[in-house]
Amino acid sequence: MSATSSSTADPPSPSPSPSPAPSALSASTSKADKARMEKERAKIARKRARLVDPTANLTTRVKSLVSLVQHDSEEGCGELFANHHALVLQAFTDTMGIHDANAKKGKHCTEKDIKVMQTMLRLISLHLSSDVRDPRTNRQMLGLMEKMLYIENAVSVRQTTFEILMLMGEAFPAPDDQIVKLLISSLHLVAFQGEAGLIAILPSALSAPDKYSAYFPGPVSGKNECRDFLELYFHYTARSPTAFNFWFPTTRQILALLYPDVSALIEVPNTHPDHGFKKGSCPPELQAVVESNLCTWLESDKLCPILLADPKQYQLVLEVYRSCLRMPSTLCKTISHCINTYATLFIYNWKTRQLPNMTDILNYQKLILEEMVTIFGFSVSKNPSDHVIQDAVIKYFFQMIEAYDSLEPATRTVFLLTLCKCATTLITSATASVPSGEPVKGVLIDTLLTAWITSKMTEWPMWQELHKCLEACAQCNMEVLNQIKIKLEHLSNLLIDMCYPLAVKLKTPAATEGSDTRKQKKDTVLTLESRDLNAKRTNRDPHLEKLPLQVDLLTWLWHAVLHSFTNISQFKSPKNYEGGIAVITGIMDMFLNAEELAEIEKPVITDSKRLPLYRVFCPYLFEATVNDESRSGGTSLAFGSLCRLFCRTYPAVPVQLLSHFYTALRRGLKSNDKNVWWQIIANGYNMFSIALPGSCILIPYFLPRLKEMLTTSTSSTPPYGKQKCIAMLSSLICFPSHFPNLHLNTYPPGSVLTSVALRNFVQDTLTAALGQCTSVDTRISCLWSLTVCIFENCAHWNSENVADLIQVVLVCAGSEDVVIARTALQCVSLIGNISKKLPQDLLTNIFETLCSYISPNKISEIAPYIYFCLCDWVISDAVSETFQDKLFQAIEFGLSFGEKQEVQEVHSLVAARPAQADPSVSDKKKGLLSSKKGLMSIRPRKEPSGTATSGAQPAVASNAPPPDSAAYNENDPSDKRVTLREAAEILLLHTLHFFHNFPSPEGIDMWCSQINETDDGALEEHATYWIFNNMLILTVLPIPKMKNATARMIIRDAVGKWVWDFHNVNTIGETGLPEGVITAADQPVAEDEPSAKDRRTKTIMTTPSLLSSNNKVSELLARLETQHPELLQWVPSFKDPSVILAPIQPALDQIEENLESFIQSERSVTTIHPPHQHGQFPQPPPPSQPQSPVHYTRMILQQLGLTSPLSPIPPLLDRISLSDKFRRNITLLDKTHGREVYKLGLIYVAEGQETQNDILANTQLTASNLYTDFANGLGWRVDVSTHRGYLGGLDKNQSTGHTTLYWANSTLEVIFHEVVQMPTVESDPQQIQKKRHVGNDFVHIIWSDHLRDYNPLTITSQFNDAHIIIYPLPNGLFRIQTYKKPTHTVYGPLQSGMVINKELLSTLVRETAVNANRAISAYRNPDAYTRPYLNRRRYITETIDRYKSDAPYLTNLTSVITGLVQQSTTTPNNPGSQPPPDQTAQGNS
């Protein structure tokens, strides 16, 4: 009905059918599941009924059982099997019969059938245990399982059946023999039948008799399946302690097959003892399974007691461990796991685990440790897996080290000896040379040494075992020596920290100059020519530092490790022998450095903990010096170390050992091994400089080796070797004069070495080395050493002997190497200090040689420095009449070398005219005239751009090559290098100023005037500033208030500032009337005064009479025109006055017009004021003083010829545009020094002083008399409050001391910041006032009375770049030591290692300090540093260029004549530029 009604109605619109609600869906699903489950339960119930129905046939029962097994639950099947076990067994038997019948017909079971049967077997084993134990049922079930375990069946079928078989076995109270037999047979050990170690296998009943017997055929099982079945068995047995305990007898039987020998020893029951594997032949695959599961059992707290319940089981467990360690390295993970498990159980945790039967635990531990040696004896060391295992063992060893204190004493001994065996096995084995094993070897040796040190053992027999091990290993492998070295460094660092407290806290490490330089920091590091005092302590071992070691025990352990080298002489390999000696010497150097930095031990200390270095190291080193040539490397190292050990200033060398030391050195120097020579010289070069007692006997043995080293070139020469040779030779320079009676037997024997022979040898060898050495630093050292020889000869020997040495230095001054040439010129300048001791012919040779280097054919970068050298010699009063010509010719060449283009054009015109030479005119006059022309050259024409034309070559140097453009760029204002012309100007100015005129009567500190424009009441507002010849700045100003002076001229040039006061002696007297004044009555009637033009015309008309042929003036003009044609560059002829006046005729006409207009203005005044009509003419008043303030300044300029318009040459005077900026520039110019100024720190170090506070606290009372004598030789003691020279920041109010040392000559000033003269503030331990001055000095001069060498880092700042240290020696000489930064050039004359006598010490120290200061200043500011007079010269030039007035010369002349000083407000050319700073300023004052 519902259908009909729906068909007649309209069709509804399509819409999606609504989804059922979730609750409705779940309800419907639940109902469906319940219905299905009810249906299943009903079906299972019907099948149960069929199974138990006695009337049902066999087929029905079997199908019902199969269906129930497949579909019923575990509980349901269990209940069914328990309640109806007879029917179930009968059905099961019938099912097996059906499958057997099908198998005979060739029909195999399906996988579903197999699973059903396996399920039945499992259920029967679980629920019908009593029936299982029935022999008949058991036999049936085993039969079925055996068929399922046939190897022809699939593996999955066999594995499941294997598990059911073990489940079935657990139905018995003990493992059933048949089941055990079937289990063992199921392992299928026959798969390893081909293994060499296999004895026999149990008869296998698990192979199908025919092809139809297998239920579910599959691939035949192999070795992998055997391993899987064994793993399955162990896994099943370990699922619970009960199961493990039940199956443990079976497990023992299986292990008896794998390890039959051990099983027999521990009496494991084995029904077939002749079956299994040989000892140690168990297949690795099976061993890995056994070991993996055994470790799991041992790690389990529940299984391990069961496993080890029987004491005999330990043997089996250990046999498994032993076999495991011999497995292939490919099983590295298993082996590592085994080692860790056994070690943890038997060594670490055996007490906490409370294992049974541990009476023989020590034997077990010994076996476990000793068997680990096997790991390091693998025959194939190229396999990376080998190293993985070895690393694991080493890691375990280190864990034992961490827990060393918890080990039993016997175990500790076994552990230490085991480590020795492992190291010996690994390194001395046949495969020890494989490179891939080097890291493992190093780690093992490190662990070995760490363990022995951690043991703190003091039993010497035990340590001998370690020594045997290390000796054997060290002979085979260098890495062993490296590890011993590292460990010794660890112990040495600990020992140094305890026994060698630092005297001064280290700030930055220092490195050695001239030796094998170690890594240093950039520029903050001072270098020295001795050993590294501040060697960085490396190789810190955190483990060793944690050990609570006392000094005595630490020292004992240190000696014990060092004794590893007791038999080092027995090393067969020369390389390893050398490496061993290197370790010993390296450790010795650590303690040498420690002793040099540690506090000085007081003599009263008797229980010193410091090592007796001589007693410790001398036996090794003396023995190493006696070897054949094959071990030359180690022998040379031993000689070098002996020299470092004995050639020290502190502590004192035991005298009883010196004879052995000298004997060894004689043997080394007499050998033919150059490496031995190098080591002796490089490390013992200071032997003579420290005055080692009796060392003079070695001089004859050293001399031939030094000569051979310096005069032969070999590739094996170390880079610092020749520098050390020079230092040793330099230490002998003063020996001949100090020991005049020296007589030594020479080597080779045959003659006697006297003091004269020694002197000649040293000088000749230095000369030869200078010519043959290629190193610049070595040649510089030779030059300075030869200079010291020259001083020494002049002081104590005949000065004529120095001619050859000076000639050598002069030859080097002309070297093409700029560095060598400049150093040689510095040496020549220094020799000028002793010029009065040199013969005249030698002085002539010096000047001629120097001047010969300045010629048109030889222009080099070094030429300007030759002028500086000549300047030093000129001021030394060494210039005589015989070679003044050479000097002025050199000056002339230098002045004319840099002339401008305009001068070249004039010279070209002059050169084109035929010159008429007059033999009556000397070359000297020509030269002087040319020099004047060069010095007073005309101003260059200004180009439209405002720049001067470029310079050109003068006529005198027309054939000279152009100057090296790389040397100096004259057009580049940033180029601060000196030019040839500037150097020549300086030489000429110094000659004119100071030749035979230095010091001045005012004193050596008065270089130039200190008077300014504002002094003495001068009228500064009327001062006129002039430029003379573009070189000088002149200031002329009146001084009306000063007695005996009316005007003052201040001259500023490159040399300094000079002031001249002028007084006119013919000025009007006190009456105001000059003598012979004519009264008005006596005056004649004056005629009409002619005009200025008429007067000039009359003057010109009378000129020809003066220039007649009979007139003397005419003759003189004619001669000038003929002999000096260069003067015609300004006028065509001197004979025609009109021609002479022609160039200035326009200017004269202008002046005439100005004067006539002035006269006309005067006459116009008379028309306004007519003359008196009545009375007498008034009498003129008395003459008055000049009213113009510039009257006398105008007179001075005129009378000096500077403003004369009739001068035959163009005017040389220019005005300056005055401004405040110009006056500031003048003030700064006056502050620029005319001489080099240096401040040097002078420090005294008393005995026992090593800290900055102690040294700076010294006063004049604490200083020694010898130091005072030395200081007084450095300079003159001046009063700071009245001193007029350079003070270097010292306070005139005497807050920095009352007196100080000062020294000066014509080129430099030196002030000394003497610490002992500065006031000491008791409340300030740091003495900041002293440190403020000394800390800002570039160079320190230190006098040290201390026992050992001064540390240059004691007083440091960012400015202390060089140190010169003097040590008084017991023999009356003085040792020199110099320190510098590696970036600075080598300076002299004193070099590190020199020994100087008292007569030369002060002078050479001062000169060395000055040269060091110059080098440092040049390095710190290489682009701007110049000599002060060059700086002044360029500053004056810049000032002239900025402030020179642009007004014409005649305008300037008019202002002088009229007395109008025009203040120009013209902006200078470069007002914003600042004057260059004083380049000689040092530090921060």
Side-chain angles (χ1 to χ4, degrees), residues 1199-1219:
Q1199 292 168 9
L1200 290 178
L1202 300 178
T1203 59
S1204 175
L1206 301 180
S1207 176
I1209 59 177
L1212 304 176
L1213 210 62
D1214 290 297
R1215 286 291 297 275
I1216 286 180
S1217 300
L1218 297 181
S1219 65

Side-chain angles (χ1 to χ4, degrees), residues 1451-1473:
T1451 301
N1452 296 332
L1453 185 62
T1454 302
S1455 65
V1456 174
I1457 295 174
T1458 59
L1460 299 176
V1461 181
Q1462 181 181 0
Q1463 299 295 335
S1464 175
T1465 59
T1466 306
T1467 302
N1469 297 335
N1470 188 11
S1473 61

Side-chain angles (χ1 to χ4, degrees), residues 31 137 200 241 283 372 541 552 573 586 621 640 692 758 829 996-997 999 1021 1043 1225 1253 1271 1296 1411 1448 1470:
K31 292 179 180 180
T137 304
M372 291 184 185
D541 190 342
D552 295 337
S573 171
L621 300 178
L692 199 62
L758 176 60
S829 297
H996 294 310
N997 191 39
E1021 65 274 11
K1043 187 177 180 181
N1225 274 30
N1253 294 353
T1296 55
N1411 288 334
N1470 188 11

Side-chain angles (χ1 to χ4, degrees), residues 818-865:
V818 176
V819 178
I820 298 299
R822 289 188 61 176
T823 304
L825 288 174
Q826 292 178 0
C827 296
V828 175
S829 297
L830 187 60
I831 296 171
N833 295 330
I834 56 173
S835 59
K836 295 181 180 179
K837 297 182 180 181
L838 302 179
Q840 189 62 32
D841 57 344
L842 182 56
L843 295 176
T844 303
N845 180 44
I846 293 174
F847 268 91
E848 289 181 350
T849 303
L850 291 176
C851 294
S852 66
Y853 293 146
I854 306 174
S855 64
N857 297 325
K858 187 176 182 180
I859 303 299
S860 65
E861 186 179 347
I862 204 65
Y865 300 95

